[in-house]
Amino acid sequence: MATPTEVKHVPALFSARRVITLLSSIVVALSSGTNYIFSAYAPQLGARLHISHTQLNVVGLAGNAGVSISGPIWGRIVDFRGAQIPLTGAFVFSLAGYAGMKRMYDEGTDSGTSVSPARFLLLVICSLLTGLGAHAGVTAAVNITAKSFPESAHATTTGLVLSGFGLSAFFFSTVAHILFPGDTSAFLLLLSLATSIPMLIALFVMRPVPLPQTHAGLKDDRNGEYELISTTEVVPFIADANVDAVGVAGDSHVSLMDIQPEDGLSSALETDRIHSHLRPDNLPDVHGKLLWKTPDFYLLCMILLLLGGTGVMYINNVGLISLALFAKSNPNYEEEEASKLQAAQVSTLSVGNFAGRILIGLISDFARTKFHLPRVYSLCIVSSLFIISQAFAIGISSVGTLWMATAILGFAYGSLFGGLPAIAIDWFGLAHLSENLGYLSLAPLVGGNVFSIIFGRNLDAHTPRENTNTTIGATRAMSTADRAVYRDVLAERRCFTGRDCYVSSLKVTLVACMVALGLSTLAARRDKYRQKTRKG
């Protein structure tokens, strides 16, 4: 063990090295958030390959699945091996995924024929790869940021990093609109390069920065990420993969996995028992089997399933929503104008996502510091915002006012995931943060799949086909030229009934968000009770 004389120089809390790490993490997160831009090119991709709205939702969900199912794997790798492997994976998967989608789009299909099952499966795999790469990058960025800043700034700094993740769609859609408007192929090429090259650069510049002595952790002999300290002092513990101790004092340790809940205790007391075994920095260390025995883990998963699933459904389909509203009021369907409206919704969603990820960190840190409120109280605010967004979306019948629902939804979704790392640290500790976040990220996948499939089927049910009464009625009063335009649009499977195309799906998510508000209130009360018990 080291002596105090072996402590090396540690950069100041706001040193240039620490700021560079934060900025590079934000850039990596910015390059990792392109799954949010799916709805900006999804309608064009679907039209080019002649696939239904339900199939298009499956493609979008494959990207979300790549993000979610890889979470525990990337998290464990980052916690135990560092960020180099995930960053390499992010480079390879993102490049392969978007390059593959671009090639399929360029090749298209024969006129009037749908894409073959084999090619559709390949498209799904490409989308899955983009999700795998996205989560690899953002997991590395969040983990390094959390290790480089003290607990009092965790919500703010991780929120800043995740704000880059949320701003990604706005950034790339704006660049694409300026450089090559309406060129979907060039857009996919941009995504393939801009999501992979930053990961390669980050391999050489993004490293965790040791904290000053009042916040410092232990240095591990194998990876050397943290500074050595005196063995006679009990110190705050910063996550390290190779140390499995609740506290460190001298050479002794107690394994948290040896602590098992007693039979007969209520779930609240059981969770309180887990949280009563804290590290010297007052953070629990809940992971592995113990995480799956913790009632609060399932409570948080249910909230994420309902709210995150609602967000995934809306994000993947906001382009289709805007096109449905536009098509109803514009029989002479103009593809260029429709694309502008579609891009505007994606940009609005992205800016709201960005703002939510930043502000929720500031709000939760302020409430915790000044009013001693648990950060989980922020979930009540987030749930309320989701409810408002769905209520707005249900009532809106004009594409010109859709931005209001989109902005609120984007802010709520960004707030949900911007505040999640800090809540996970408070409840489960920092030592296995990335792994725990990976397990939590599985919940939105379930909700997103259910709600998105419901949305796709609902939209397909309202999509007219040629030689139906709907088509006859719609074309009867049109001129020959207008009728030709209308039939061209039908070939691309547009829905012309406006909000009726999808409103039933939004009523389902509205109820889900109301349930999530009740669960968020329960979570806040449990955490407050736990704090009082601890003080008593």
Side-chain angles (χ1 to χ4, degrees):
M1 295 294 289
T3 64
T5 59
E6 293 177 279
V7 180
K8 299 178 182 179
H9 172 70
V10 178
L13 191 56
F14 296 103
S15 64
R17 183 177 165 191
R18 208 176 302 278
V19 172
I20 290 172
T21 294
L22 178 62
L23 292 178
S24 61
S25 297
I26 292 174
V27 172
V28 167
L30 181 71
S31 301
S32 301
T34 52
N35 282 95
Y36 294 131
I37 209 171
F38 176 74
S39 60
Y41 62 84
Q44 289 77 14
L45 184 66
R48 177 82 168 174
L49 301 179
H50 300 287
I51 57 180
S52 69
H53 296 117
T54 302
Q55 289 177 307
L56 201 57
N57 267 279
V58 171
V59 175
L61 286 171
N64 299 130
V67 171
S68 299
I69 64 177
S70 65
I73 300 172
W74 291 129
R76 191 167 182 83
I77 291 174
V78 169
D79 285 336
F80 281 81
R81 301 293 298 276
Q84 282 66 40
I85 295 176
L87 287 173
T88 303
F91 166 74
V92 173
F93 292 141
S94 297
L95 181 61
Y98 282 115
M101 293 177 73
K102 177 187 182 302
R103 180 171 180 176
M104 293 190 68
Y105 179 86
D106 290 342
E107 293 177 351
T109 61
D110 295 333
S111 179
T113 63
S114 181
V115 65
S116 67
R119 295 194 67 204
F120 177 73
L121 177 61
L122 181 59
L123 181 64
V124 170
I125 292 173
C126 287
S127 182
L128 178 70
L129 290 177
T130 65
L132 294 175
H135 205 150
V138 75
T139 297
V142 170
N143 185 276
I144 287 177
T145 301
K147 289 179 177 179
S148 300
F149 289 87
E151 189 274 340
S152 60
H154 277 163
T156 300
T157 53
T158 57
L160 283 171
V161 172
L162 290 172
S163 69
F165 192 72
L167 193 63
S168 180
F170 170 76
F171 176 78
F172 286 111
S173 63
T174 301
V175 171
H177 179 72
I178 294 173
L179 297 182
F180 26 79
D183 190 343
T184 303
S185 178
F187 187 25
L188 291 171
L189 176 62
L190 169 68
L191 292 177
S192 66
L193 297 177
T195 58
S196 56
I197 294 176
M199 306 301 173
L200 208 56
I201 298 174
L203 278 169
F204 304 98
V205 301
M206 200 167 73
R207 295 285 189 277
V209 183
L211 291 166
Q213 190 165 356
T214 54
H215 303 285
L218 300 176
K219 178 177 179 179
D220 176 69
D221 293 334
R222 280 178 278 181
N223 58 30
E225 291 182 346
Y226 300 102
E227 301 300 322
L228 292 168
I229 56 172
S230 170
T231 61
T232 61
E233 182 181 5
V234 175
V235 296
F237 187 94
I238 299 300
D240 196 293
N242 302 293
V243 181
D244 184 22
V246 174
V248 179
D251 294 325
S252 64
H253 77 275
V254 178
S255 173
L256 187 62
M257 295 308 298
D258 292 335
I259 302 169
Q260 299 294 337
E262 296 178 3
D263 294 335
L265 292 178
S266 67
S267 61
L269 291 177
E270 180 178 312
T271 302
D272 188 58
R273 176 177 175 83
I274 292 169
H275 282 261
S276 68
H277 295 275
L278 305 174
R279 294 181 181 273
D281 58 359
N282 289 326
L283 290 177
D285 182 12
V286 182
H287 68 281
K289 293 180 181 178
L290 189 59
L291 180 70
W292 296 93
K293 296 178 180 179
T294 306
D296 282 342
F297 171 71
Y298 295 99
L299 179 58
L300 192 53
C301 279
M302 280 302 302
I303 296 171
L304 291 171
L305 184 151
L306 297 171
L307 298 181
T310 297
V312 167
M313 183 208 73
Y314 193 94
I315 290 169
N316 284 352
N317 292 285
V318 65
L320 294 172
I321 291 174
S322 64
L323 295 184
L325 293 175
F326 177 71
K328 182 177 182 180
S329 57
N330 294 272
N332 299 328
Y333 192 91
E334 298 176 6
E335 184 65 38
E336 184 176 350
E337 183 64 24
S339 296
K340 289 180 181 179
L341 293 171
Q342 176 186 341
Q345 295 303 318
V346 174
S347 296
T348 301
L349 181 69
S350 183
V351 171
N353 196 340
F354 164 77
R357 290 175 188 263
I358 289 183
L359 292 179
I360 198 64
L362 297 173
I363 292 171
S364 62
D365 277 346
F366 178 80
R368 182 181 178 86
T369 303
K370 297 297 182 181
F371 303 108
H372 306 290
L373 289 175
R375 290 190 175 102
V376 72
Y377 270 82
S378 64
L379 290 178
C380 297
I381 300 174
V382 172
S383 299
S384 299
L385 290 173
F386 268 101
I387 292 172
I388 295 171
S389 73
Q390 298 305 284
F392 268 55
I394 289 172
I396 289 173
S397 58
S398 168
V399 70
T401 54
L402 182 62
W403 68 269
M404 292 187 290
T406 301
I408 298 172
L409 187 283
F411 187 89
Y413 190 82
S415 298
L416 176 64
F417 288 98
L420 182 60
I423 294 173
I425 291 172
D426 288 346
W427 281 16
F428 312 125
L430 177 59
H432 296 83
L433 170 64
S434 297
E435 181 182 352
N436 291 343
L437 285 177
Y439 289 125
L440 289 170
S441 68
L442 294 173
L445 173 64
V446 177
N449 270 278
V450 173
F451 296 147
S452 294
I453 294 300
I454 290 174
F455 187 97
R457 289 187 177 278
N458 190 21
L459 196 57
D460 281 335
H462 288 83
T463 300
R465 301 174 183 272
E466 289 200 64
N467 300 322
T468 64
N469 292 333
T470 305
T471 303
I472 295 171
T475 58
R476 185 170 293 160
M478 293 183 183
S479 65
T480 303
D482 289 346
R483 190 176 296 113
V485 171
Y486 188 85
R487 291 185 182 277
D488 287 341
V489 173
L490 280 178
E492 298 182 358
R493 293 187 52 75
R494 307 288 189 200
C495 178
F496 290 88
T497 55
R499 60 189 291 271
D500 291 338
C501 296
Y502 55 81
V503 71
S504 298
S505 306
L506 298 183
K507 291 178 180 178
V508 174
T509 54
L510 176 62
V511 174
C513 294
M514 290 178 176
V515 174
L517 176 59
L519 294 177
S520 299
T521 304
L522 175 62
R525 289 172 61 89
R526 284 171 61 85
D527 209 16
K528 190 70 173 178
Y529 169 78
R530 201 160 37 238
Q531 283 192 359
K532 290 180 179 179
T533 303
R534 225 178 274 163
K535 290 178 181 179

